[in-house]
Amino acid sequence: MSEQGEVTLRAYGLVLAATVSYTSLTFIWFTLPAYLSVIIEEVGLTGTEAGILAGAVPLTYIPLALFTGVAVDRIGLDYSLAAGLLIFGLAQIGRSFATGFPSLLACTLLIGVGATVITFGLPKLVSILFPPAETGFPSSIYLVGAAAGTASAFAIGRPVIGPFLGGWRPLFLWSGVFAVGYAVVWFTTARVFSLEGTTPEHERSEDATLASNSISRDIRAILAHRELRLVVVVGTVYLLVIHGMQGWLPTILESRGMDPGPAGQATSLLIGANVVGILVVPTVADRLEARRAAVMTCGCVIFVGLAGVLAGGIGLLMAAGVVATGFGVGGLSPLIRAIPPELEGIGARLTGTAVGFVFAVGEIGGFLGPVLIGTLHDLTGSFAPGLLVLAGGAVVAVGAGYAMQDVSG
């Protein structure tokens, strides 16, 4: 094998190894929404409390995301990803012993702390392993891994693994143990493959100077960047819709008379369509140099999909709406991560900080999505108002995509 081939194989090997951390994270994250109706009854939660729990991980991103992005840019991916795994693994173990809303909330917020590291570490990993024009496919790999973890929580975590282990508490316990164990595996892998030797020497020297002298300058540059602010708007909508739907869709369908098993499988249908969007949209957008048009198209597809979910009961129209919504948000997911590295003034060096900024603000939508659905249901007795809010967000994403200028296409 040529030297270039060995370098490429090593790069993809590291991406795949890191992808397991994202799969583990999303499985752990969404075991709570998968079991939400059971936990509501067993623990005695209100709709608002359930919505807060479903949105607690996104809530953590709001104060921590920018700080975590800066930290990932400077600490190193071997230590930071291992620390993220350890944190959310221990938090999931703690959640298995929770007895009420306060303890569940505290552990779920801690899961969010570890989640921020994984979310911003993987775009950073791809940005240092691959040239900017070649980041689309590697980014799709870890996003598919993340989607697989989410889908598994609904498709096999609730109906298969949970009953086999004895319920949601043993499921939480052993999934947390796995994450803690994988922290050791990742750290060892990163060391064996000399991950920290990947960054070119001139970038490492520049980073060292920046770490001591100009973190504030980097943050000011991020905040002042017009196109990045538009990416933040799109990211906010993406997180509003995906967390709102993943957090409540099983419960919404159960309220319409669907059994828990099929309701969970319908949610895995959302994630399956999400994966298709992740794989198809960035590839087509990069080939046509049409990322701006892709953002607008995805916003339109999400709006149409949510209209189908609203009007479709538990029939084929609802299923088509779930698929369309999943495809649309799946398409936005890699775009909000792939656009920042190509922006003038951002590049690979500030990718972690830039994506951290996108999520620091965007996760306001990630928190509000599930919370608004739960609160509006408490107020009106219906899930329709919350779904209408998500549909309105899709319209905003179309407008933000139309306003973008310094983006290919």
Side-chain angles (χ1 to χ4, degrees), residues 4-370:
Q4 180 61 38
E6 290 178 356
V7 170
T8 302
L9 184 62
R10 170 176 169 271
Y12 276 105
L14 284 166
V15 171
L16 287 171
T19 295
V20 177
S21 68
Y22 217 159
T23 304
S24 176
L25 166 65
T26 53
F27 181 86
I28 283 173
W29 183 336
F30 290 101
T31 49
L32 186 141
Y35 266 101
L36 190 59
S37 60
V38 175
I39 295 172
I40 287 173
E41 183 176 354
E42 181 176 325
V43 180
L45 302 174
T46 66
T48 299
E49 288 174 338
I52 290 172
L53 285 175
V57 174
L59 178 65
T60 312
Y61 280 68
I62 299 170
L64 291 184
L66 188 56
F67 169 79
T68 305
V70 172
V72 166
D73 277 339
R74 288 163 174 81
I75 291 173
L77 291 164
D78 47 0
Y79 285 101
S80 59
L81 292 185
L85 280 156
L86 184 64
I87 291 169
F88 71 72
L90 291 174
Q92 178 76 335
I93 292 171
R95 198 158 64 166
S96 71
F97 296 102
T99 57
F101 173 71
S103 52
L104 274 171
L105 178 60
C107 292
T108 304
L109 289 172
L110 191 57
I111 288 173
V113 174
T116 61
V117 181
I118 307 301
T119 300
F120 312 132
L122 289 176
K124 176 71 174 179
L125 177 68
V126 169
S127 73
I128 66 174
L129 290 173
F130 298 90
E134 300 176 14
T135 59
F137 181 69
S139 297
S140 295
I141 291 174
Y142 69 73
L143 290 171
V144 168
T150 305
S152 296
F154 292 106
I156 62 174
R158 167 77 185 269
V160 179
I161 302 176
F164 174 77
L165 293 175
W168 64 273
R169 293 186 186 275
L171 176 64
F172 284 20
L173 173 64
W174 289 109
S175 58
V177 169
F178 174 85
V180 171
Y182 196 74
V184 178
V185 174
W186 163 254
F187 185 79
T188 303
T189 302
R191 287 291 171 159
V192 168
F193 282 91
S194 302
L195 173 59
E196 293 310 303
T198 300
T199 306
E201 185 64 35
H202 72 276
E203 290 188 13
R204 292 200 302 271
S205 299
E206 188 177 7
D207 283 347
T209 301
L210 287 169
S212 59
N213 297 329
S214 55
I215 291 177
S216 61
R217 186 182 68 192
D218 288 350
I219 294 176
R220 287 197 300 272
I222 294 294
L223 295 175
H225 204 293
R226 177 186 180 274
E227 304 306 316
L228 190 64
R229 291 200 299 269
L230 289 170
V231 175
V232 169
V233 173
V234 176
T236 302
V237 172
Y238 156 68
L239 293 162
L240 176 86
V241 176
I242 193 63
H243 289 308
M245 289 293 284
Q246 289 177 164
W248 279 103
L249 184 58
T251 305
I252 290 172
L253 296 180
E254 287 178 42
S255 75
R256 295 177 180 180
M258 186 175 285
D259 291 336
Q265 291 164 359
T267 306
S268 67
L269 185 66
L270 173 80
I271 309 307
N274 185 276
V275 170
V276 176
I278 288 170
L279 293 173
V280 171
V281 172
T283 302
V284 174
D286 287 354
R287 180 166 297 183
L288 299 178
E289 296 185 349
R291 286 179 172 175
R292 174 173 172 264
V295 170
M296 297 169 63
T297 301
C298 287
C300 292
V301 171
I302 293 168
F303 179 84
V304 172
L306 287 168
V309 174
L310 269 165
I314 57 174
L316 290 178
L317 180 60
M318 177 277 297
V322 168
V323 170
T325 303
F327 182 87
V329 294
L332 291 182
S333 178
L335 291 174
I336 64 174
R337 293 165 168 88
I339 289 174
E342 76 170 12
L343 296 176
E344 183 179 354
I346 305 297
R349 182 177 64 81
L350 293 179
T351 295
T353 307
V355 177
F357 175 55
V358 172
F359 279 83
V361 180
E363 286 292 7
I364 295 173
F367 171 69
L368 288 177

